Structures are given as structure tokens and as C-alpha cells.
Amino acid sequence: MTLLDKFEPLQQARERLRGLGIDPFNVVVEKILSPTEAIVDGRRVILAGTNNYLGLTFHPECIAAAVRAVEEEGCGTTGSRMANGNYADHLALEREFAQFYDKPYSVVFSAGYLANLALLSTLPGADDVILIDADCHASIYDGCKMSAAEVIRFRHNDVDDLDKRLRRLKDRARRTLVVVEGIYSMFGDTAPLKAIAEVKERYGAYLMVDEAHSLGVLGERGRGLAEAEGVEDKVDFIVGTFSKSLGAIGGYCVSPHRALDTLRYAARPYIFTASSSPAQIASTRVALRLLRDGGELRRRLWANAERFYNGLKVLGCRLGPQLSPVIPVILGESREESLAVWKELLEGGVYVNLVMPPATPDHRCLLRCSMSAAHTPEQIDTLLQVFARVFSAHGVAAD
């Protein structure tokens, strides 16, 4: 075999999709019309497959801040935070995240993915252990691959399994970083964080929570699952992203530990990546303020999620284990049938994400839907009408 031969099966799979006129993994959004509508494949569609939970991508204050930043500071920094790309607004945003979470230390990264890579590749060393929930995001798995630490998985949301594995580690438990997520991105379920925090305290381990999908969604002030569960004082590192509720691109980590600030001088994903553009930082600063004061946005988000979730239940859809703005519709194991369903939904004016194994936690395909505070009740009703028509035609909605 040559260096490139391993890509041949993937290329053949792509060609088969092209032959069917379907490519759900290379969708081109030709024009964005609003936080909830776009032109895709020449037709107007309702966006029900984005992570725009609070609908802030078109907020006039965010746009105005981004425009001012471009005009005053240019399009990019052309350097890393360690070189010439450490602007005053980067530091201001770090202070604002620290204040938002009431933590002394905060670091801003160029992407949420990089935040996980930086933390996991740098904090745990060769004699340490990373203990991760089996359903964690790819960025967490990739960070683990970059680490010299031993990596152990525990069963998804299984506190007893976590307890057992920490107990087996004995004294090494005090050198262990437990990693979970607030809301899991495939099935929309939350971690049993209060119980997890109690277990990690018992063994003296450290706890990192990725609040990517729960920032702005959970908690009285939108700080995520740790706030909602009342265990923020037991979480050592909170990681998140700008690319969901904050409507931009970037990542962050906050912590009570001074080691987070020192990590700047050791984490390669921080040291060797160009810093976020002035526009991204400026819009995120405004979005963070809107999120902090966004009780009404969260109320609308959850009302929309409940309306859509309950509507799908009436249709007989197989859904995720709990109500959340991330709503998976479980289809089954047939890739061909799932592709056809996704295509007909798009042709009917509905864009959602098609997820197939091995990206799903099991062997089933699913449609990953997500709600936004910007969706209107009329749009949600239209979504349900299209789902009903397509699912009835394919006989896939019955539970």
C-alpha cells in the first residue's frame, strides 16, 4: 500500500453519495437569512441543526461591536497570544469570563476544540490519569491522545462505574482528572454532575466539565450544568466555547487553580495558534453580557425545545433520554434509509444534522436537531408538519 491508499474506501463512499445526489456532510449554506433561516441547495430552509441556542449570531449589538473592531484593529492578529497576538480585548474578555464565573483564573483560546486539547495535553502528565466519560466529544478524545497520561473510560453517566475505577486507582486517584460534559452533543442528556462531584471529592481527584452545549442554556445565570446542580465549588476546570450560545468562534477555561494561568507557558495549542480575531473577541464580549442577562432568552429556548420535543413524541419518534435543546431523532441502523429521510426533509425545507456510526454512541443513525431562542412557534409547527409527512412516507416514526 502507498501513503494515500487508505483514503480509497472513503473516496468510494463519497462517490456513492454523489451518485445518489446526497451529501449530508458537505452541505453548502448559500445565504444566511436570519439565525433560523437560510438558502440551501437553492431553497429556503428552516435551520434546525445549528448550535445557535440563544440566536445571537444576528444580534445588532454583537454585529456593531464586530464591525467597530474590524475598522479599528483589522481583520486578524497575524500572531499567537505568546507572540504579537495578545490584544487588550483578549485580556478584557478573560477578565469578564472570570467575573462571570466568579473564578480567579481564566484563559481564552482560539477555538473550543483547542481549549480541550490544551487542557488535556498539558495538565495531566506521564504519571497521571485521565478518566473520561465514554460519550465525550472528539476534542476530548483528541486531547487525551496528545497527553502522556494514562487514559481510562467509564460507562456513560454511570457514577458507580466511575467510583469503581477511582477506587481501583488507589493513591493515583489524587493524580486523576475526571472529564465529563454538561450536555452531551449527540443525545442531549446531562451528566449526573452532583453525584460525580461527590465521588471525585471522596477520592481527591480533579474534575473538568465541558460546558460547550450547556453555557447559556442551564443555570439561573446561564453558567451551565455546574451552576444548575449547585456544584461549581467542586469543579476544578470549566471549559467552553464561543461557537454555540455566544454565536462566534473561540474557547475558554476558568478555574480556581493558579495552574490554569501557568498553563499558558506550557500548552502547545495555546502557544502555537494564532489568536482570535478582533471581531470575534468584540462580538463575544457583547454576547457574554447578553447571555448573563438573558433569562428571557433561556425561557424562550426551553419553551421552543419543549414544543418541538413534545410534538415529535406525538409523532411517535424515538427521542433522546431527556428534554434539552439538543433533540436527537433516532432512526435505526439503515444508512440508506436515513440518507433518504434526511434528503426529503431538506427538500421539504428543513435542515438538520444527519449523524451516522461511528460518530453516534451506538450503531444507530440519528437526526440531530437543535432548538434556538430565535425559532418562532410557527417555524416549529412547520418543522413538525414536514417531519410528519416525511416520516409517514418512510414508516420510521413509529416507536
Side-chain angles (χ1 to χ4, degrees), residues 216-272:
V217 173
L218 298 174
E220 183 180 352
R221 290 160 290 189
R223 299 201 309 211
L225 182 63
E227 181 190 26
E229 292 291 298
V231 295
E232 288 180 293
D233 61 328
K234 294 180 173 63
V235 177
D236 298 283
F237 302 94
I238 292 177
V239 177
T241 180
F242 306 169
S243 63
K244 296 169 179 42
S245 287
L246 294 170
I249 300 173
Y252 67 92
C253 179
V254 297
S255 174
H257 302 292
R258 186 172 62 182
L260 176 63
D261 198 47
T262 308
L263 177 138
R264 300 175 192 271
Y265 305 97
R268 296 171 69 85
Y270 176 90
I271 296 170
F272 296 105

Side-chain angles (χ1 to χ4, degrees), residues 64-87:
V67 170
R68 283 196 303 271
V70 168
E71 291 175 342
E72 294 173 5
E73 299 183 81
C75 296
T77 66
T78 71
S80 71
R81 297 284 304 273
M82 294 288 283
N84 60 289
N86 197 31
Y87 287 16

Side-chain angles (χ1 to χ4, degrees), residues 128-308:
D128 303 326
V129 178
I130 307 174
L131 191 49
I132 68 170
D133 185 290
D135 282 7
C136 277
H137 188 263
S139 61
I140 291 172
Y141 274 92
D142 287 354
C144 290
K145 289 179 182 179
M146 293 173 62
S147 174
E150 180 182 0
V151 180
I152 302 172
R153 294 187 300 176
F154 66 94
R155 288 193 295 271
H156 177 53
N157 279 351
D158 191 328
V159 179
D160 291 337
D161 194 38
L162 171 64
D163 188 295
K164 178 180 69 176
R165 293 178 185 280
L166 280 170
R167 185 170 63 249
R168 287 176 176 174
L169 288 170
K170 299 181 180 178
D171 290 344
R172 293 182 73 203
R174 298 178 62 84
R175 302 180 63 90
T176 296
L177 180 65
V178 178
V179 184
V180 299
E181 298 184 32
I183 293 178
Y184 286 88
S185 61
M186 285 296 114
F187 285 152
D189 52 337
T190 57
L193 197 55
K194 186 173 291 186
I196 287 171
E198 290 173 358
V199 170
K200 85 95 185 180
E201 291 273 291
R202 189 182 316 141
Y203 291 98
Y206 292 83
L207 177 59
M208 171 178 156
V209 180
D210 184 341
E211 299 270 25
H213 289 272
S214 38
L215 171 68
V217 173
L218 298 174
E220 183 180 352
R221 290 160 290 189
R223 299 201 309 211
L225 182 63
E227 181 190 26
E229 292 291 298
V231 295
E232 288 180 293
D233 61 328
K234 294 180 173 63
V235 177
D236 298 283
F237 302 94
I238 292 177
V239 177
T241 180
F242 306 169
S243 63
K244 296 169 179 42
S245 287
L246 294 170
I249 300 173
Y252 67 92
C253 179
V254 297
S255 174
H257 302 292
R258 186 172 62 182
L260 176 63
D261 198 47
T262 308
L263 177 138
R264 300 175 192 271
Y265 305 97
R268 296 171 69 85
Y270 176 90
I271 296 170
F272 296 105
T273 301
S275 62
S276 298
S277 72
Q280 296 287 355
I281 295 297
S283 71
T284 301
R285 293 185 64 190
V286 174
L288 183 60
R289 173 176 57 79
L290 295 169
L291 183 155
R292 182 194 63 209
D293 302 331
E296 175 59 22
L297 288 174
R298 279 185 286 284
R299 188 198 65 76
R300 289 199 335 242
L301 170 64
W302 280 97
N304 288 343
E306 185 173 17
R307 187 185 190 97
F308 189 52

